Amino acid sequence: MTDSRVPPEETPQVEGSTAEAHEERADGGVWEHPGVWLWLIILGAVVFAGFFAARVFFL
């Protein structure tokens, strides 16, 4: 039995593989930079706490 030569840029077929190629998810999206969301949550918490602090000091 002779081996068939596969060009370097081609991927040989795997014997017994039934899986099909799947597309990878696109880069980006909402969860690409979770640090931005963390800072927005922290900023919201500080603003919310600021309302309470202002109410205490100005009443």
Side-chain angles (χ1 to χ4, degrees), residues 3-4 8 11 13-14 16 18 25-29 31-32 34-36 39-40 43 47 49 54 57-58:
D3 286 339
S4 61
T11 304
Q13 292 183 354
V14 178
T18 58
R25 71 173 184 87
D27 290 336
W31 305 112
E32 188 70 26
V36 173
W39 281 109
L40 283 174
L43 178 65
V47 168
F57 288 120
F58 295 118

Side-chain angles (χ1 to χ4, degrees), residues 1-35:
M1 184 157 78
T2 62
D3 286 339
S4 61
R5 299 286 178 189
V6 178
E9 63 273 353
E10 296 292 326
T11 304
Q13 292 183 354
V14 178
E15 211 173 302
S17 175
T18 58
E20 295 181 9
H22 62 278
E23 291 186 24
E24 295 185 16
R25 71 173 184 87
D27 290 336
V30 174
W31 305 112
E32 188 70 26
H33 301 287

